Amino acid sequence: AEDGSAEDDGEDLELEVNPYSTVYLVKCLLAEEWPIPPVCQRLVVDGVVTEDDVPISRYADAKSRVFGTLHECFDALPRFLEDPRVQVRVMAVRALIRAD
């Protein structure tokens, strides 16, 4: 299970995921629940920013649970706005619109 919150006093969410799922896949699942695109998410577990391409199980406790905090982060958006792929630019613009 993965547990993240939008803020320290924010909403909790529990997800059942395959331990071999990447952090990025977990972020995609979180994006279905909260309107924060995966590229604008920073999942922090025990003070460490998770890496998108590693299995979520790397951050699990002894009971195979991951407790993290989800933060909005728009640092990568300028790079995505300059991407030659239209769908990537559209995703970045939508993220900016949601940030308003």
Side-chain angles (χ1 to χ4, degrees):
E2 195 287 328
D3 177 22
S5 68
E7 299 176 13
D8 292 336
D9 60 346
E11 181 180 348
D12 288 338
L13 176 68
E14 185 173 319
L15 299 173
E16 293 291 327
V17 297
N18 182 312
Y20 300 105
S21 297
T22 62
V23 168
Y24 185 79
L25 177 61
V26 172
K27 288 180 177 182
C28 290
L29 295 171
L30 290 168
E32 292 176 8
E33 299 294 324
W34 286 310
I36 305 170
V39 297
C40 296
Q41 296 178 23
R42 292 296 175 267
L43 182 58
V44 179
V45 177
D46 292 330
V48 176
V49 176
T50 58
E51 298 176 44
D52 284 351
D53 59 346
V54 301
I56 192 69
S57 59
R58 176 183 287 183
Y59 305 100
D61 67 11
K63 294 183 180 180
S64 297
R65 298 176 301 186
V66 176
F67 296 96
T69 304
L70 184 65
H71 300 272
E72 285 186 275
C73 182
F74 298 101
D75 296 348
L77 282 183
R79 182 180 47 148
F80 291 113
L81 289 168
E82 295 173 359
D83 193 285
R85 296 167 293 178
V86 172
Q87 92 182 57
V88 173
R89 291 193 312 268
V90 168
M91 179 269 317
V93 169
R94 286 183 178 152
L96 287 171
I97 291 169
R98 285 190 204 120
D100 251 356

PDB file of all heavy atoms in Angstrom, residues 24-59:
ATOM      1  N   TYR A  24       6.977   5.999 -10.664  1.00  0.00           N
ATOM      2  CA  TYR A  24       6.216   6.758 -11.661  1.00  0.00           C
ATOM      3  C   TYR A  24       4.812   6.188 -11.826  1.00  0.00           C
ATOM      4  O   TYR A  24       3.845   6.942 -11.910  1.00  0.00           O
ATOM      5  CB  TYR A  24       6.939   6.790 -13.008  1.00  0.00           C
ATOM      6  CG  TYR A  24       6.220   7.667 -14.004  1.00  0.00           C
ATOM      7  CD1 TYR A  24       6.357   9.048 -13.950  1.00  0.00           C
ATOM      8  CD2 TYR A  24       5.382   7.122 -14.955  1.00  0.00           C
ATOM      9  CE1 TYR A  24       5.672   9.870 -14.827  1.00  0.00           C
ATOM     10  CE2 TYR A  24       4.691   7.937 -15.838  1.00  0.00           C
ATOM     11  CZ  TYR A  24       4.842   9.306 -15.773  1.00  0.00           C
ATOM     12  OH  TYR A  24       4.142  10.113 -16.639  1.00  0.00           O
ATOM     13  N   LEU A  25       4.671   4.858 -11.853  1.00  0.00           N
ATOM     14  CA  LEU A  25       3.344   4.253 -11.969  1.00  0.00           C
ATOM     15  C   LEU A  25       2.483   4.628 -10.761  1.00  0.00           C
ATOM     16  O   LEU A  25       1.299   4.937 -10.907  1.00  0.00           O
ATOM     17  CB  LEU A  25       3.438   2.742 -12.108  1.00  0.00           C
ATOM     18  CG  LEU A  25       2.088   2.013 -12.167  1.00  0.00           C
ATOM     19  CD1 LEU A  25       1.273   2.467 -13.371  1.00  0.00           C
ATOM     20  CD2 LEU A  25       2.295   0.521 -12.200  1.00  0.00           C
ATOM     21  N   VAL A  26       3.061   4.617  -9.586  1.00  0.00           N
ATOM     22  CA  VAL A  26       2.322   5.018  -8.386  1.00  0.00           C
ATOM     23  C   VAL A  26       1.876   6.482  -8.515  1.00  0.00           C
ATOM     24  O   VAL A  26       0.745   6.834  -8.181  1.00  0.00           O
ATOM     25  CB  VAL A  26       3.160   4.789  -7.110  1.00  0.00           C
ATOM     26  CG1 VAL A  26       2.470   5.373  -5.887  1.00  0.00           C
ATOM     27  CG2 VAL A  26       3.430   3.299  -6.924  1.00  0.00           C
ATOM     28  N   LYS A  27       2.747   7.338  -9.045  1.00  0.00           N
ATOM     29  CA  LYS A  27       2.378   8.740  -9.262  1.00  0.00           C
ATOM     30  C   LYS A  27       1.217   8.860 -10.256  1.00  0.00           C
ATOM     31  O   LYS A  27       0.337   9.705 -10.085  1.00  0.00           O
ATOM     32  CB  LYS A  27       3.572   9.547  -9.767  1.00  0.00           C
ATOM     33  CG  LYS A  27       4.632   9.787  -8.710  1.00  0.00           C
ATOM     34  CD  LYS A  27       5.766  10.580  -9.314  1.00  0.00           C
ATOM     35  CE  LYS A  27       6.836  10.919  -8.322  1.00  0.00           C
ATOM     36  NZ  LYS A  27       7.898  11.741  -8.926  1.00  0.00           N
ATOM     37  N   CYS A  28       1.209   8.001 -11.270  1.00  0.00           N
ATOM     38  CA  CYS A  28       0.092   7.995 -12.224  1.00  0.00           C
ATOM     39  C   CYS A  28      -1.212   7.625 -11.521  1.00  0.00           C
ATOM     40  O   CYS A  28      -2.261   8.217 -11.781  1.00  0.00           O
ATOM     41  CB  CYS A  28       0.374   7.034 -13.377  1.00  0.00           C
ATOM     42  SG  CYS A  28       1.668   7.584 -14.491  1.00  0.00           S
ATOM     43  N   LEU A  29      -1.148   6.644 -10.625  1.00  0.00           N
ATOM     44  CA  LEU A  29      -2.332   6.257  -9.853  1.00  0.00           C
ATOM     45  C   LEU A  29      -2.776   7.397  -8.939  1.00  0.00           C
ATOM     46  O   LEU A  29      -3.974   7.653  -8.786  1.00  0.00           O
ATOM     47  CB  LEU A  29      -2.051   5.002  -9.041  1.00  0.00           C
ATOM     48  CG  LEU A  29      -1.782   3.734  -9.851  1.00  0.00           C
ATOM     49  CD1 LEU A  29      -1.291   2.607  -8.948  1.00  0.00           C
ATOM     50  CD2 LEU A  29      -3.019   3.322 -10.628  1.00  0.00           C
ATOM     51  N   LEU A  30      -1.815   8.078  -8.329  1.00  0.00           N
ATOM     52  CA  LEU A  30      -2.151   9.224  -7.481  1.00  0.00           C
ATOM     53  C   LEU A  30      -2.797  10.332  -8.300  1.00  0.00           C
ATOM     54  O   LEU A  30      -3.716  11.019  -7.834  1.00  0.00           O
ATOM     55  CB  LEU A  30      -0.903   9.742  -6.771  1.00  0.00           C
ATOM     56  CG  LEU A  30      -0.332   8.839  -5.685  1.00  0.00           C
ATOM     57  CD1 LEU A  30       1.045   9.323  -5.262  1.00  0.00           C
ATOM     58  CD2 LEU A  30      -1.276   8.753  -4.503  1.00  0.00           C
ATOM     59  N   ALA A  31      -2.343  10.513  -9.538  1.00  0.00           N
ATOM     60  CA  ALA A  31      -2.900  11.554 -10.409  1.00  0.00           C
ATOM     61  C   ALA A  31      -4.364  11.282 -10.739  1.00  0.00           C
ATOM     62  O   ALA A  31      -5.115  12.213 -11.038  1.00  0.00           O
ATOM     63  CB  ALA A  31      -2.077  11.671 -11.688  1.00  0.00           C
ATOM     64  N   GLU A  32      -4.771  10.015 -10.672  1.00  0.00           N
ATOM     65  CA  GLU A  32      -6.182   9.688 -10.890  1.00  0.00           C
ATOM     66  C   GLU A  32      -7.044  10.136  -9.710  1.00  0.00           C
ATOM     67  O   GLU A  32      -8.231  10.380  -9.862  1.00  0.00           O
ATOM     68  CB  GLU A  32      -6.347   8.187 -11.111  1.00  0.00           C
ATOM     69  CG  GLU A  32      -5.741   7.706 -12.410  1.00  0.00           C
ATOM     70  CD  GLU A  32      -5.820   6.201 -12.565  1.00  0.00           C
ATOM     71  OE1 GLU A  32      -6.479   5.524 -11.733  1.00  0.00           O
ATOM     72  OE2 GLU A  32      -5.212   5.691 -13.524  1.00  0.00           O
ATOM     73  N   GLU A  33      -6.449  10.237  -8.533  1.00  0.00           N
ATOM     74  CA  GLU A  33      -7.177  10.628  -7.324  1.00  0.00           C
ATOM     75  C   GLU A  33      -7.078  12.125  -7.037  1.00  0.00           C
ATOM     76  O   GLU A  33      -8.014  12.713  -6.514  1.00  0.00           O
ATOM     77  CB  GLU A  33      -6.642   9.849  -6.113  1.00  0.00           C
ATOM     78  CG  GLU A  33      -6.782   8.354  -6.222  1.00  0.00           C
ATOM     79  CD  GLU A  33      -8.230   7.901  -6.234  1.00  0.00           C
ATOM     80  OE1 GLU A  33      -9.067   8.511  -5.542  1.00  0.00           O
ATOM     81  OE2 GLU A  33      -8.527   6.923  -6.955  1.00  0.00           O
ATOM     82  N   TRP A  34      -5.924  12.700  -7.325  1.00  0.00           N
ATOM     83  CA  TRP A  34      -5.698  14.125  -7.095  1.00  0.00           C
ATOM     84  C   TRP A  34      -5.276  14.767  -8.405  1.00  0.00           C
ATOM     85  O   TRP A  34      -4.527  14.163  -9.171  1.00  0.00           O
ATOM     86  CB  TRP A  34      -4.605  14.350  -6.047  1.00  0.00           C
ATOM     87  CG  TRP A  34      -5.036  14.062  -4.653  1.00  0.00           C
ATOM     88  CD1 TRP A  34      -6.161  14.517  -4.032  1.00  0.00           C
ATOM     89  CD2 TRP A  34      -4.346  13.268  -3.687  1.00  0.00           C
ATOM     90  NE1 TRP A  34      -6.208  14.047  -2.742  1.00  0.00           N
ATOM     91  CE2 TRP A  34      -5.095  13.281  -2.506  1.00  0.00           C
ATOM     92  CE3 TRP A  34      -3.166  12.558  -3.708  1.00  0.00           C
ATOM     93  CZ2 TRP A  34      -4.728  12.610  -1.360  1.00  0.00           C
ATOM     94  CZ3 TRP A  34      -2.780  11.881  -2.572  1.00  0.00           C
ATOM     95  CH2 TRP A  34      -3.551  11.910  -1.414  1.00  0.00           C
ATOM     96  N   PRO A  35      -5.692  15.970  -8.685  1.00  0.00           N
ATOM     97  CA  PRO A  35      -5.389  16.594  -9.980  1.00  0.00           C
ATOM     98  C   PRO A  35      -3.966  17.151 -10.079  1.00  0.00           C
ATOM     99  O   PRO A  35      -3.755  18.311 -10.400  1.00  0.00           O
ATOM    100  CB  PRO A  35      -6.434  17.707 -10.069  1.00  0.00           C
ATOM    101  CG  PRO A  35      -6.657  18.109  -8.657  1.00  0.00           C
ATOM    102  CD  PRO A  35      -6.542  16.826  -7.862  1.00  0.00           C
ATOM    103  N   ILE A  36      -2.994  16.314  -9.781  1.00  0.00           N
ATOM    104  CA  ILE A  36      -1.590  16.711  -9.892  1.00  0.00           C
ATOM    105  C   ILE A  36      -0.941  15.740 -10.880  1.00  0.00           C
ATOM    106  O   ILE A  36      -0.804  14.560 -10.575  1.00  0.00           O
ATOM    107  CB  ILE A  36      -0.852  16.643  -8.542  1.00  0.00           C
ATOM    108  CG1 ILE A  36      -1.566  17.483  -7.483  1.00  0.00           C
ATOM    109  CG2 ILE A  36       0.592  17.107  -8.708  1.00  0.00           C
ATOM    110  CD1 ILE A  36      -1.027  17.281  -6.080  1.00  0.00           C
ATOM    111  N   PRO A  37      -0.548  16.202 -12.063  1.00  0.00           N
ATOM    112  CA  PRO A  37       0.083  15.293 -13.031  1.00  0.00           C
ATOM    113  C   PRO A  37       1.352  14.666 -12.459  1.00  0.00           C
ATOM    114  O   PRO A  37       2.036  15.296 -11.642  1.00  0.00           O
ATOM    115  CB  PRO A  37       0.426  16.205 -14.214  1.00  0.00           C
ATOM    116  CG  PRO A  37      -0.341  17.456 -14.007  1.00  0.00           C
ATOM    117  CD  PRO A  37      -0.616  17.569 -12.544  1.00  0.00           C
ATOM    118  N   PRO A  38       1.681  13.452 -12.866  1.00  0.00           N
ATOM    119  CA  PRO A  38       2.864  12.777 -12.329  1.00  0.00           C
ATOM    120  C   PRO A  38       4.150  13.594 -12.425  1.00  0.00           C
ATOM    121  O   PRO A  38       4.972  13.560 -11.517  1.00  0.00           O
ATOM    122  CB  PRO A  38       2.964  11.503 -13.177  1.00  0.00           C
ATOM    123  CG  PRO A  38       1.572  11.258 -13.641  1.00  0.00           C
ATOM    124  CD  PRO A  38       0.946  12.607 -13.819  1.00  0.00           C
ATOM    125  N   VAL A  39       4.324  14.346 -13.510  1.00  0.00           N
ATOM    126  CA  VAL A  39       5.559  15.128 -13.653  1.00  0.00           C
ATOM    127  C   VAL A  39       5.628  16.299 -12.683  1.00  0.00           C
ATOM    128  O   VAL A  39       6.687  16.885 -12.496  1.00  0.00           O
ATOM    129  CB  VAL A  39       5.762  15.633 -15.100  1.00  0.00           C
ATOM    130  CG1 VAL A  39       5.909  14.460 -16.056  1.00  0.00           C
ATOM    131  CG2 VAL A  39       4.652  16.559 -15.514  1.00  0.00           C
ATOM    132  N   CYS A  40       4.501  16.621 -12.054  1.00  0.00           N
ATOM    133  CA  CYS A  40       4.463  17.723 -11.085  1.00  0.00           C
ATOM    134  C   CYS A  40       4.417  17.200  -9.652  1.00  0.00           C
ATOM    135  O   CYS A  40       4.173  17.958  -8.727  1.00  0.00           O
ATOM    136  CB  CYS A  40       3.265  18.620 -11.351  1.00  0.00           C
ATOM    137  SG  CYS A  40       3.332  19.453 -12.933  1.00  0.00           S
ATOM    138  N   GLN A  41       4.602  15.914  -9.487  1.00  0.00           N
ATOM    139  CA  GLN A  41       4.564  15.310  -8.162  1.00  0.00           C
ATOM    140  C   GLN A  41       5.978  15.034  -7.660  1.00  0.00           C
ATOM    141  O   GLN A  41       6.832  14.592  -8.412  1.00  0.00           O
ATOM    142  CB  GLN A  41       3.814  13.975  -8.198  1.00  0.00           C
ATOM    143  CG  GLN A  41       2.370  14.071  -8.555  1.00  0.00           C
ATOM    144  CD  GLN A  41       1.729  12.696  -8.614  1.00  0.00           C
ATOM    145  OE1 GLN A  41       2.200  11.733  -8.014  1.00  0.00           O
ATOM    146  NE2 GLN A  41       0.641  12.599  -9.348  1.00  0.00           N
ATOM    147  N   ARG A  42       6.167  15.267  -6.379  1.00  0.00           N
ATOM    148  CA  ARG A  42       7.371  14.826  -5.686  1.00  0.00           C
ATOM    149  C   ARG A  42       6.879  13.993  -4.518  1.00  0.00           C
ATOM    150  O   ARG A  42       6.197  14.499  -3.629  1.00  0.00           O
ATOM    151  CB  ARG A  42       8.209  15.998  -5.162  1.00  0.00           C
ATOM    152  CG  ARG A  42       8.838  16.839  -6.214  1.00  0.00           C
ATOM    153  CD  ARG A  42       9.867  16.045  -7.039  1.00  0.00           C
ATOM    154  NE  ARG A  42      10.395  16.841  -8.128  1.00  0.00           N
ATOM    155  CZ  ARG A  42       9.909  16.852  -9.371  1.00  0.00           C
ATOM    156  NH1 ARG A  42       8.877  16.107  -9.684  1.00  0.00           N
ATOM    157  NH2 ARG A  42      10.456  17.592 -10.303  1.00  0.00           N
ATOM    158  N   LEU A  43       7.178  12.710  -4.564  1.00  0.00           N
ATOM    159  CA  LEU A  43       6.800  11.804  -3.484  1.00  0.00           C
ATOM    160  C   LEU A  43       7.997  11.681  -2.565  1.00  0.00           C
ATOM    161  O   LEU A  43       9.083  11.263  -2.980  1.00  0.00           O
ATOM    162  CB  LEU A  43       6.400  10.440  -4.047  1.00  0.00           C
ATOM    163  CG  LEU A  43       5.935   9.402  -3.035  1.00  0.00           C
ATOM    164  CD1 LEU A  43       4.730   9.908  -2.244  1.00  0.00           C
ATOM    165  CD2 LEU A  43       5.601   8.099  -3.744  1.00  0.00           C
ATOM    166  N   VAL A  44       7.814  12.078  -1.311  1.00  0.00           N
ATOM    167  CA  VAL A  44       8.899  12.082  -0.334  1.00  0.00           C
ATOM    168  C   VAL A  44       8.604  11.021   0.723  1.00  0.00           C
ATOM    169  O   VAL A  44       7.530  11.010   1.317  1.00  0.00           O
ATOM    170  CB  VAL A  44       9.045  13.482   0.321  1.00  0.00           C
ATOM    171  CG1 VAL A  44      10.167  13.473   1.349  1.00  0.00           C
ATOM    172  CG2 VAL A  44       9.279  14.550  -0.741  1.00  0.00           C
ATOM    173  N   VAL A  45       9.564  10.124   0.933  1.00  0.00           N
ATOM    174  CA  VAL A  45       9.440   9.048   1.909  1.00  0.00           C
ATOM    175  C   VAL A  45      10.629   9.157   2.863  1.00  0.00           C
ATOM    176  O   VAL A  45      11.778   9.118   2.436  1.00  0.00           O
ATOM    177  CB  VAL A  45       9.434   7.667   1.228  1.00  0.00           C
ATOM    178  CG1 VAL A  45       9.368   6.559   2.269  1.00  0.00           C
ATOM    179  CG2 VAL A  45       8.274   7.557   0.240  1.00  0.00           C
ATOM    180  N   ASP A  46      10.338   9.317   4.135  1.00  0.00           N
ATOM    181  CA  ASP A  46      11.387   9.457   5.160  1.00  0.00           C
ATOM    182  C   ASP A  46      12.412  10.530   4.787  1.00  0.00           C
ATOM    183  O   ASP A  46      13.620  10.341   4.943  1.00  0.00           O
ATOM    184  CB  ASP A  46      12.103   8.125   5.400  1.00  0.00           C
ATOM    185  CG  ASP A  46      11.200   7.095   6.063  1.00  0.00           C
ATOM    186  OD1 ASP A  46      10.294   7.504   6.819  1.00  0.00           O
ATOM    187  OD2 ASP A  46      11.400   5.889   5.823  1.00  0.00           O
ATOM    188  N   GLY A  47      11.934  11.634   4.261  1.00  0.00           N
ATOM    189  CA  GLY A  47      12.800  12.753   3.929  1.00  0.00           C
ATOM    190  C   GLY A  47      13.566  12.604   2.626  1.00  0.00           C
ATOM    191  O   GLY A  47      14.368  13.451   2.269  1.00  0.00           O
ATOM    192  N   VAL A  48      13.331  11.517   1.897  1.00  0.00           N
ATOM    193  CA  VAL A  48      14.026  11.264   0.640  1.00  0.00           C
ATOM    194  C   VAL A  48      13.046  11.415  -0.524  1.00  0.00           C
ATOM    195  O   VAL A  48      11.963  10.824  -0.510  1.00  0.00           O
ATOM    196  CB  VAL A  48      14.620   9.831   0.627  1.00  0.00           C
ATOM    197  CG1 VAL A  48      15.259   9.516  -0.708  1.00  0.00           C
ATOM    198  CG2 VAL A  48      15.602   9.659   1.765  1.00  0.00           C
ATOM    199  N   VAL A  49      13.433  12.201  -1.537  1.00  0.00           N
ATOM    200  CA  VAL A  49      12.620  12.312  -2.748  1.00  0.00           C
ATOM    201  C   VAL A  49      12.804  11.022  -3.537  1.00  0.00           C
ATOM    202  O   VAL A  49      13.927  10.619  -3.837  1.00  0.00           O
ATOM    203  CB  VAL A  49      13.034  13.526  -3.601  1.00  0.00           C
ATOM    204  CG1 VAL A  49      12.238  13.576  -4.899  1.00  0.00           C
ATOM    205  CG2 VAL A  49      12.851  14.815  -2.818  1.00  0.00           C
ATOM    206  N   THR A  50      11.696  10.355  -3.842  1.00  0.00           N
ATOM    207  CA  THR A  50      11.757   9.078  -4.550  1.00  0.00           C
ATOM    208  C   THR A  50      12.199   9.276  -6.001  1.00  0.00           C
ATOM    209  O   THR A  50      12.029  10.352  -6.574  1.00  0.00           O
ATOM    210  CB  THR A  50      10.391   8.380  -4.523  1.00  0.00           C
ATOM    211  OG1 THR A  50       9.419   9.246  -5.113  1.00  0.00           O
ATOM    212  CG2 THR A  50       9.971   8.032  -3.112  1.00  0.00           C
ATOM    213  N   GLU A  51      12.739   8.221  -6.575  1.00  0.00           N
ATOM    214  CA  GLU A  51      13.168   8.222  -7.970  1.00  0.00           C
ATOM    215  C   GLU A  51      12.096   7.523  -8.806  1.00  0.00           C
ATOM    216  O   GLU A  51      11.648   6.430  -8.462  1.00  0.00           O
ATOM    217  CB  GLU A  51      14.495   7.489  -8.117  1.00  0.00           C
ATOM    218  CG  GLU A  51      15.629   8.126  -7.341  1.00  0.00           C
ATOM    219  CD  GLU A  51      16.898   7.302  -7.444  1.00  0.00           C
ATOM    220  OE1 GLU A  51      17.224   6.839  -8.557  1.00  0.00           O
ATOM    221  OE2 GLU A  51      17.550   7.127  -6.399  1.00  0.00           O
ATOM    222  N   ASP A  52      11.703   8.138  -9.920  1.00  0.00           N
ATOM    223  CA  ASP A  52      10.600   7.627 -10.734  1.00  0.00           C
ATOM    224  C   ASP A  52      10.816   6.233 -11.305  1.00  0.00           C
ATOM    225  O   ASP A  52       9.861   5.479 -11.459  1.00  0.00           O
ATOM    226  CB  ASP A  52      10.302   8.577 -11.894  1.00  0.00           C
ATOM    227  CG  ASP A  52       9.548   9.815 -11.463  1.00  0.00           C
ATOM    228  OD1 ASP A  52       9.089   9.872 -10.301  1.00  0.00           O
ATOM    229  OD2 ASP A  52       9.406  10.734 -12.295  1.00  0.00           O
ATOM    230  N   ASP A  53      12.030   5.881 -11.628  1.00  0.00           N
ATOM    231  CA  ASP A  53      12.265   4.638 -12.358  1.00  0.00           C
ATOM    232  C   ASP A  53      12.622   3.443 -11.473  1.00  0.00           C
ATOM    233  O   ASP A  53      13.010   2.394 -11.987  1.00  0.00           O
ATOM    234  CB  ASP A  53      13.344   4.845 -13.414  1.00  0.00           C
ATOM    235  CG  ASP A  53      14.673   5.302 -12.820  1.00  0.00           C
ATOM    236  OD1 ASP A  53      14.702   5.716 -11.648  1.00  0.00           O
ATOM    237  OD2 ASP A  53      15.679   5.250 -13.551  1.00  0.00           O
ATOM    238  N   VAL A  54      12.470   3.571 -10.176  1.00  0.00           N
ATOM    239  CA  VAL A  54      12.773   2.443  -9.283  1.00  0.00           C
ATOM    240  C   VAL A  54      11.480   1.852  -8.714  1.00  0.00           C
ATOM    241  O   VAL A  54      10.456   2.539  -8.647  1.00  0.00           O
ATOM    242  CB  VAL A  54      13.719   2.848  -8.124  1.00  0.00           C
ATOM    243  CG1 VAL A  54      15.028   3.382  -8.658  1.00  0.00           C
ATOM    244  CG2 VAL A  54      13.068   3.853  -7.220  1.00  0.00           C
ATOM    245  N   PRO A  55      11.518   0.591  -8.298  1.00  0.00           N
ATOM    246  CA  PRO A  55      10.321  -0.022  -7.710  1.00  0.00           C
ATOM    247  C   PRO A  55       9.933   0.685  -6.406  1.00  0.00           C
ATOM    248  O   PRO A  55      10.797   1.069  -5.617  1.00  0.00           O
ATOM    249  CB  PRO A  55      10.741  -1.465  -7.431  1.00  0.00           C
ATOM    250  CG  PRO A  55      11.990  -1.688  -8.202  1.00  0.00           C
ATOM    251  CD  PRO A  55      12.629  -0.353  -8.392  1.00  0.00           C
ATOM    252  N   ILE A  56       8.650   0.808  -6.199  1.00  0.00           N
ATOM    253  CA  ILE A  56       8.143   1.458  -4.983  1.00  0.00           C
ATOM    254  C   ILE A  56       8.584   0.681  -3.746  1.00  0.00           C
ATOM    255  O   ILE A  56       8.752   1.260  -2.670  1.00  0.00           O
ATOM    256  CB  ILE A  56       6.609   1.637  -5.036  1.00  0.00           C
ATOM    257  CG1 ILE A  56       6.115   2.558  -3.928  1.00  0.00           C
ATOM    258  CG2 ILE A  56       5.893   0.305  -5.003  1.00  0.00           C
ATOM    259  CD1 ILE A  56       6.506   4.000  -4.072  1.00  0.00           C
ATOM    260  N   SER A  57       8.826  -0.618  -3.891  1.00  0.00           N
ATOM    261  CA  SER A  57       9.221  -1.448  -2.748  1.00  0.00           C
ATOM    262  C   SER A  57      10.550  -1.010  -2.142  1.00  0.00           C
ATOM    263  O   SER A  57      10.821  -1.301  -0.984  1.00  0.00           O
ATOM    264  CB  SER A  57       9.293  -2.919  -3.149  1.00  0.00           C
ATOM    265  OG  SER A  57      10.223  -3.088  -4.204  1.00  0.00           O
ATOM    266  N   ARG A  58      11.367  -0.277  -2.883  1.00  0.00           N
ATOM    267  CA  ARG A  58      12.636   0.217  -2.338  1.00  0.00           C
ATOM    268  C   ARG A  58      12.398   1.114  -1.125  1.00  0.00           C
ATOM    269  O   ARG A  58      13.229   1.216  -0.237  1.00  0.00           O
ATOM    270  CB  ARG A  58      13.401   1.002  -3.395  1.00  0.00           C
ATOM    271  CG  ARG A  58      14.686   1.615  -2.832  1.00  0.00           C
ATOM    272  CD  ARG A  58      15.425   2.455  -3.810  1.00  0.00           C
ATOM    273  NE  ARG A  58      16.077   1.623  -4.809  1.00  0.00           N
ATOM    274  CZ  ARG A  58      16.841   2.113  -5.768  1.00  0.00           C
ATOM    275  NH1 ARG A  58      17.038   3.413  -5.867  1.00  0.00           N
ATOM    276  NH2 ARG A  58      17.411   1.315  -6.639  1.00  0.00           N
ATOM    277  N   TYR A  59      11.231   1.732  -1.065  1.00  0.00           N
ATOM    278  CA  TYR A  59      10.912   2.680   0.001  1.00  0.00           C
ATOM    279  C   TYR A  59       9.986   2.079   1.062  1.00  0.00           C
ATOM    280  O   TYR A  59       9.475   2.794   1.909  1.00  0.00           O
ATOM    281  CB  TYR A  59      10.275   3.937  -0.608  1.00  0.00           C
ATOM    282  CG  TYR A  59      11.148   4.550  -1.668  1.00  0.00           C
ATOM    283  CD1 TYR A  59      10.902   4.322  -3.015  1.00  0.00           C
ATOM    284  CD2 TYR A  59      12.253   5.323  -1.330  1.00  0.00           C
ATOM    285  CE1 TYR A  59      11.719   4.871  -3.998  1.00  0.00           C
ATOM    286  CE2 TYR A  59      13.078   5.867  -2.299  1.00  0.00           C
ATOM    287  CZ  TYR A  59      12.805   5.636  -3.626  1.00  0.00           C
ATOM    288  OH  TYR A  59      13.619   6.168  -4.595  1.00  0.00           O
TER     289      TYR A  59
END
